[in-house]
Amino acid sequence: VRSISIFKDAAAGFIDSVCQAFVRRDFKAGDVLAADGGESDCIFCISKGEVALEVGGADVGVFEKGSAFGDIPCLLGRKRLG
């Protein structure tokens, strides 16, 4: 978990809590993880590979191993941007 950028400076007790809430999911190339305007009920942490980010059909970036995304809308209870 410490290899994920948003957790690198977190306290040990917080890391323990986060680890208990983690659910591992594996995805294949081409899978859609989240959709524009969709509900945001999870944070994605990339432990292997990379994830391409598209907004409105346009490529806007790539998340690599150690990255996380979806944290802000999830923590604020908002829909995903799109």
Side-chain angles (χ1 to χ4, degrees), residues 2-71:
R2 289 229 183 261
S3 67
I4 305 297
S5 59
I6 63 173
F7 301 118
K8 70 177 181 171
D9 296 321
F14 179 76
I15 295 293
D16 290 342
S17 297
V18 167
C19 287
Q20 291 176 18
F22 271 13
V23 174
R24 180 187 172 107
R25 294 181 58 194
D26 294 316
F27 297 95
K28 300 180 305 254
D31 284 352
V32 174
L33 281 62
D36 294 346
E39 294 299 322
S40 181
D41 60 354
C42 65
I43 300 170
F44 293 93
C45 298
I46 312 304
S47 63
K48 182 171 66 171
E50 62 184 27
V51 174
L53 176 64
E54 294 180 6
V55 176
D59 292 332
V60 295
V62 174
F63 290 102
E64 298 177 336
K65 179 181 175 181
S67 299
F69 65 96
D71 48 325

